[in-house]
Amino acid sequence: MNRRKFSQALAAAGALSAISPFGIVRAQAQKLRVGVILPKSGYLSFIGQSCQKGADLAPGVLKEMLGVDVELMNADFESNVDTARTRAERLIQEGAHVLVGPFDSGAAAAIAQVAEQRGVPFVINIAAAPQITEQGYKFVFRNFQTAGDIVRNGLALIGDLFQATNTVPRSAVFMHVNDTFGQAMAKGIGAFMPRMTQLPFKIVDTISYDPAAKDLTVEVSKAKASNADFLLLVCRLNDAIILRREMVKQRWNPMGIVSPGSPGMYEEQYFKALGKLSENSISNVPWYNPNSKLTKVVEKAFLKQNPKDKLVFHGLNAGFTFEAILIAADAFKRAKSSDAKTLADAIRQTNITEKMSLGAPIKFNDKGQVEGIGSACVQNRNLVPTVVLPANAATAKPLFPVPDYKKA
């Protein structure tokens, strides 16, 4: 090519760029690069690893489902909020088009600040602190219930539980982790309990504790001394195991352990660590629909990648993580661009009706929050987390009060 033809070609390229400013981006965006930030070490490690299972199967399922190539860029924030911030910065520097994660509310708040400052979309898989989507952010989206939603749904299900089992507990002791999530849940309990006049019980004591605690002897002793009918618990995983063992050690046998909405007691490691002592614990939580078409597709892929595992032990973690990546891939397909603002605008227009989780279609309000996610009462039965309420989704009837642990 001589100099004149080269100049003409260069001018033509410039004109094309001016007409179609996203042309080059589209040409480069053969894959959607998703930065997945999860706590795969530290005290949240088992849950982070469970979420990762949902991320790992996403590229294969989404390639077949949407025709979108997804490249995962995985990062471990080590159950540390400051590390979450630096991992988010690094993933953006390394070319992530969108961030997904991180399970923990404190980490989510930190990542949200980074994503907003850098103008990179961030899709939260699991994190409930309400303030995350109350900041006026334009690049932050959450496909999970807020703490207020969890508490409201969880308390309503507690009322349904008592009605279904013809029981009338009069008192509860409320124990909760003191991290960002736990404090948000405690605030929600304080706000909603006075309004839930149909609930027959009163909270006689509130006890907070460090989710990374190695010993809960004092806290359990104080809870036992309250003489409450049942334990209302907002926990994580490791602390739930420690707490349950301490209850056995101190021979404290309340009517039951009921979470108004927190992780821990339906996790696989809870069953593995406690065996029969894990039985009958109850968690009122956002859950997946085992009958949805998408769940069946995901379950098939999950079993292929994890032949010795069962989706039921990872359904919430893996399901919401998969859905977060689905949201990003669906937007990428519609936007035909990985440009951050274009991608964020496309996420804002999301309308996914075929989903895994219970509840309404995935649509974001003007704050970037999905509304209408459903909850289920999940009770540990025969060493499996089992839906017992609502009745139309249940595979077993609820049991309350629960048998003494010595007879379980």
Side-chain angles (χ1 to χ4, degrees):
M1 180 183 293
N2 60 35
R3 182 175 296 176
R4 178 178 294 175
K5 290 182 177 180
F6 177 79
S7 298
Q8 290 173 343
L10 188 63
L16 180 62
S17 177
I19 295 170
S20 180
F22 297 111
I24 295 176
V25 174
R26 287 180 183 140
Q28 292 175 337
Q30 297 299 318
K31 289 185 177 182
L32 176 67
R33 306 186 74 189
V34 180
V36 181
I37 312 176
L38 294 168
K40 292 183 288 185
S41 61
Y43 71 93
L44 295 173
S45 61
F46 287 114
I47 296 176
Q49 292 163 20
S50 178
C51 290
Q52 187 67 52
K53 293 178 184 291
D56 290 342
L57 61 83
V61 173
L62 295 175
K63 175 65 175 177
E64 184 173 346
M65 181 178 164
L66 300 177
V68 173
D69 288 317
V70 173
E71 177 185 344
L72 300 183
M73 303 168 64
N74 298 314
D76 173 17
F77 75 85
E78 303 169 5
S79 304
N80 183 287
V81 170
D82 291 334
T83 303
R85 192 187 311 274
T86 59
R87 293 291 185 272
E89 290 280 6
R90 182 182 300 174
L91 286 171
I92 293 171
Q93 291 171 0
E94 292 175 351
H97 300 136
V98 59
L99 301 179
V100 162
F103 177 81
D104 175 70
S105 288
I111 296 168
Q113 292 176 353
V114 173
E116 194 70 14
Q117 290 167 0
R118 300 294 296 274
V120 173
F122 172 36
V123 183
I124 297 170
N125 65 338
I126 301 169
Q131 61 267 31
I132 297 170
T133 47
E134 294 292 331
Q135 307 297 313
Y137 291 148
K138 302 301 182 184
F139 290 88
V140 179
F141 307 89
R142 172 164 49 191
N143 182 43
F144 198 72
Q145 293 179 359
T146 66
D149 294 331
I150 292 175
V151 169
R152 183 175 58 252
N153 293 342
L155 290 177
L157 281 168
I158 290 176
D160 295 341
L161 171 68
F162 295 160
Q163 184 175 10
T165 56
N166 295 312
T167 54
V168 188
R170 295 300 184 186
S171 61
V173 57
F174 177 39
M175 299 184 70
H176 69 89
V177 288
N178 62 6
D179 60 7
T180 304
F181 166 69
Q183 291 172 5
M185 288 293 289
K187 185 176 181 180
I189 292 286
F192 283 103
M193 272 295 295
R195 307 179 199 173
M196 310 289 280
T197 55
Q198 73 275 26
L199 296 177
F201 67 92
K202 292 183 178 180
I203 295 175
V204 295
D205 200 1
T206 298
I207 303 166
S208 65
Y209 62 89
D210 186 345
K214 303 298 183 183
D215 187 297
L216 293 172
T217 303
V218 174
E219 289 82 359
V220 170
S221 178
K222 184 179 179 183
K224 181 182 179 181
S226 73
N227 292 316
D229 289 333
F230 75 100
L231 170 59
L232 187 68
L233 178 65
V234 170
C235 58
R236 296 294 195 173
L237 173 58
N238 291 357
D239 59 286
I241 294 170
I242 293 169
L243 187 149
R244 184 70 185 101
R245 284 174 172 160
E246 188 60 35
M247 289 176 67
V248 173
K249 183 179 178 181
Q250 296 193 26
R251 299 177 183 269
W252 180 32
N253 302 306
M255 293 176 74
I257 307 172
V258 184
S259 170
S262 65
M265 297 190 296
Y266 54 78
E267 308 287 351
E268 184 176 34
Q269 195 61 28
Y270 188 77
F271 293 88
K272 286 184 175 180
L274 295 173
K276 68 176 183 178
L277 298 179
S278 65
E279 282 289 274
N280 300 314
S281 298
I282 295 173
S283 306
N284 294 338
V285 287
W287 202 247
Y288 70 100
N289 181 358
N291 297 318
S292 82
K293 293 180 181 178
L294 184 56
T295 295
K296 295 182 186 302
V297 170
V298 169
E299 185 169 26
K300 183 178 179 180
F302 181 91
L303 293 175
K304 184 177 181 180
Q305 289 198 6
N306 307 277
K308 296 182 180 180
D309 219 334
K310 295 180 180 180
L311 181 63
V312 68
F313 292 110
H314 305 276
L316 188 153
N317 299 324
F320 278 99
T321 303
F322 172 82
E323 280 193 353
I325 300 175
L326 166 63
I327 289 165
D330 170 73
F332 177 69
K333 181 178 181 179
R334 288 183 285 106
K336 297 181 175 63
S337 172
S338 60
D339 171 74
K341 185 179 183 305
T342 304
L343 194 56
D345 288 342
I347 293 174
R348 199 166 288 108
Q349 299 302 315
T350 296
N351 183 11
I352 297 176
T353 56
E354 186 57 55
K355 50 181 280 190
M356 283 187 68
S357 54
L358 291 169
I362 300 175
K363 294 181 179 180
F364 295 99
N365 63 21
D366 57 2
K367 296 179 180 180
Q369 174 66 46
V370 167
E371 299 173 342
I373 297 174
S375 293
C377 181
V378 180
Q379 187 167 33
N380 298 348
R381 304 286 285 276
N382 301 314
L383 302 182
V384 175
T386 304
V387 175
V388 294
L389 288 170
N392 61 2
T395 57
K397 292 183 178 181
L399 179 63
F400 195 90
V402 304
D404 184 280
Y405 71 90
K406 293 180 180 178
K407 299 177 183 177

